[in-house]
Amino acid sequence: MKHDTIAILDFGSQYGQLIARRVREHHVYSELLRHDMPVEQLKQKNLKGIILSGGPASVYADGAPKCDSEIFKLGVPVLGICYGMQIGCNLLGANVDVAHSREYGSTKLQLVEPDALLAHLSGEKVVWMSHGDQVNELPDDFMALGKTGTCPFAAVRHKTVPFFGVQFHPEVTHTPCGTQIFQNFLYEICGCKGDWKMGNFIEQACSDIQAQVGKDTVICGLSGGVDSSVVAALLHRAIGKQLTCIFVDNGLLRKGERDNVESTFRDHFQINLRVVDWSERFLTRLAGVTDPQQKRRIIGHEFIEAFRSQTESISNARFLAQGTLYPDVIESGHKDGNPAANIKLHHNVGGLPEELGFELVEPLRDLFKDEVRILGEHLGLSEQMVWRHPFPGPGLAVRIVGEITKERLAMLQEADAIAIEEITAAGLYKGIGQALTVLLPISSVGVMGDDRSYENQHVAAFRAVDTTDYMTADWTRIPYEVLARISNRIINEIRGINRVVYDISSKPPATIEWE
């Protein structure tokens, strides 16, 4: 089944992926493509429309990115956003120059002409602007649809070519009417059917997997994270007993992680699951190591050895399944004009090298993270697993600052479990982007009973952030009473920790993880 497709030509916008997600939220399939994608390649897609993204360049600058002007002859509507509006207007004969007054932030859009793009809107609307250039003159074959106090052509359309442009950003939440504008473009202008739904995706994905693997065995490196868990459940739906999952216990997992994975996939889904207990090897190799990058190198090497120890005994194994997502495809670099050609190989299973000799199966490569979570729910995964926070590949090794010992690892596992329990009990877990506890290499003086404590007393740092894209994040304003319960329980229940601090730094400049 071919879905209606909206091609988004990317001119370097920081909101490119957000545009793609907004389109999909309206149940229309979207692809983020290079701005110079040849028209002949676009013709091969089931296009219903094209969106030109924003970007940092000036249309009139030397070397400014441009799209193929032949896109206007494809017979599908084109929507230009910010720079996309400017380049579209420029190619169709309008003048673009430096704005008399640069606009950044919220402003009021005044509707000039009722039109399909701005249908169902009335009065003044708050929109988000971010531009230094703008269209200053419109030829007679254009018409103005909206304006702001300093931008006379904030929304336009061409009278004969199906081109529409908005100088503002309808994809950001700061433009509340953006949802209606996308709906108008997708349904009333492009005539999309809205057939991009998870039920249809599962059916098509299963068919594609079956066609790719035939009767051969597929190996899935299962980490217990959202992506690999959804891949495993989807593959099981598609090929059943042809799937073998490998879970490597590196000894650096959260409390109860191994039991949870075994219960879900071996007991509930009846998947052929191999658990490799490599914990002693990992901890032995990490003894005395304090540099976080060295920790990562050791863990990556040992993971590959543990994984290889199992794959060699699996007969008829030809394929390796990975949880590559659409952002990985987009960010992996461009090759031959196709941003999907060079895929990250380390996304899900610890950097498995190509010399293992497997062909890749990547059934999630067309999905964003939020879509993967919805897919997981459709496949019957528990809400706890589908909505769990990201967890680093090296595990708790990069949340223990300094040397890793069994004692410090046990302390962190207990502290982490307490923090997660408390934010879950308070109903906060699902709304937080990521929560974690870090054990610091600091001895902290305190009073335990009637005695001062200092020797072997550690500091635990708790961190929770609000984020959707994980590129930026702000610290979560957790109620004081919840923080108090977390602190009291950690100090009272875990011997060796006598101080808890809450990390209130944002990203940037800080990172979400500490190491």
Side-chain angles (χ1 to χ4, degrees), residues 52 59 67 72 78-96 134-139 141-143 153-158 163-167:
L52 310 179
V59 167
C67 57
F72 300 113
V78 179
L79 171 63
I81 295 175
C82 197
Y83 180 88
M85 168 181 165
Q86 295 166 15
I87 194 68
C89 288
N90 181 257
L91 291 172
L92 292 169
N95 177 57
V96 178
Q134 66 186 30
V135 176
N136 288 316
E137 295 179 23
L138 276 183
D141 45 8
F142 273 90
M143 61 187 293
F153 308 114
V156 303
R157 71 163 295 173
H158 196 279
F163 173 73
F164 303 79
V166 291
Q167 185 58 66

Side-chain angles (χ1 to χ4, degrees), residues 315-453:
S315 61
N316 208 32
R318 181 182 161 198
F319 295 93
L320 173 67
Q322 286 201 158
T324 306
L325 304 190
Y326 196 46
D328 300 307
V329 174
I330 295 167
E331 294 168 0
S332 60
H334 299 346
K335 182 179 180 182
D336 299 328
N338 179 6
N342 179 25
I343 308 301
K344 292 178 183 176
L345 298 180
H346 66 270
H347 171 72
N348 193 46
V349 288
L352 296 176
E354 293 183 54
E355 60 263 25
L356 285 177
F358 296 110
E359 296 179 36
L360 290 181
V361 178
E362 299 171 312
L364 308 184
R365 57 179 289 131
D366 290 331
L367 302 183
F368 287 101
K369 188 77 170 189
D370 52 342
E371 294 173 315
V372 172
R373 295 189 193 278
I374 295 170
L375 176 59
E377 291 178 336
H378 277 267
L379 291 168
L381 289 171
S382 68
E383 182 178 8
Q384 177 187 7
M385 182 160 284
V386 168
W387 290 97
R388 70 170 304 183
H389 295 170
F391 188 65
L396 297 179
V398 291
R399 293 181 180 174
I400 296 176
V401 180
E403 183 180 4
I404 299 167
T405 65
K406 286 186 177 181
E407 293 73 24
R408 299 189 78 208
L409 179 59
M411 276 192 282
L412 180 57
Q413 285 173 328
E414 293 297 330
D416 175 79
I418 288 171
I420 297 301
E421 283 175 13
E422 288 299 332
I423 61 174
T424 302
L428 301 174
Y429 183 87
K430 195 172 177 180
I432 294 172
Q434 189 168 348
L436 58 132
T437 306
V438 179
L439 194 65
L440 305 181
I442 301 171
S443 294
S444 172
V445 68
V447 178
M448 307 292 281
D450 294 325
D451 297 322
R452 289 169 64 83
S453 65

Side-chain angles (χ1 to χ4, degrees), residues 428 431-434 464-470 472-478 502 507 512:
L428 301 174
I432 294 172
Q434 189 168 348
V465 296
D466 296 331
T467 181
T468 55
D469 57 14
Y470 294 89
T472 61
D474 192 17
W475 61 278
T476 305
R477 272 61 171 178
I478 291 179
Y502 186 47
K507 176 185 180 182
I512 295 177

Side-chain angles (χ1 to χ4, degrees), residues 65-172:
K66 290 181 170 56
C67 57
D68 190 336
S69 62
E70 293 296 306
I71 65 170
F72 300 113
K73 298 179 182 179
L74 286 174
V76 299
V78 179
L79 171 63
I81 295 175
C82 197
Y83 180 88
M85 168 181 165
Q86 295 166 15
I87 194 68
C89 288
N90 181 257
L91 291 172
L92 292 169
N95 177 57
V96 178
D97 209 338
V98 177
H100 298 300
S101 178
R102 187 181 189 278
E103 284 185 301
Y104 182 82
S106 292
T107 190
K108 295 288 183 67
L109 174 72
Q110 302 172 40
L111 305 183
V112 173
E113 184 71 32
D115 183 79
L117 185 66
L118 303 181
H120 315 296
L121 302 177
S122 60
E124 288 188 336
K125 296 298 177 187
V126 174
V127 297
W128 181 265
M129 288 283 198
S130 179
H131 68 101
D133 300 336
Q134 66 186 30
V135 176
N136 288 316
E137 295 179 23
L138 276 183
D140 291 340
D141 45 8
F142 273 90
M143 61 187 293
L145 306 179
K147 65 180 181 180
T148 70
T150 59
C151 182
F153 308 114
V156 303
R157 71 163 295 173
H158 196 279
K159 294 177 181 177
T160 57
V161 176
F163 173 73
F164 303 79
V166 291
Q167 185 58 66
F168 54 90
H169 289 273
E171 69 274 22
V172 301

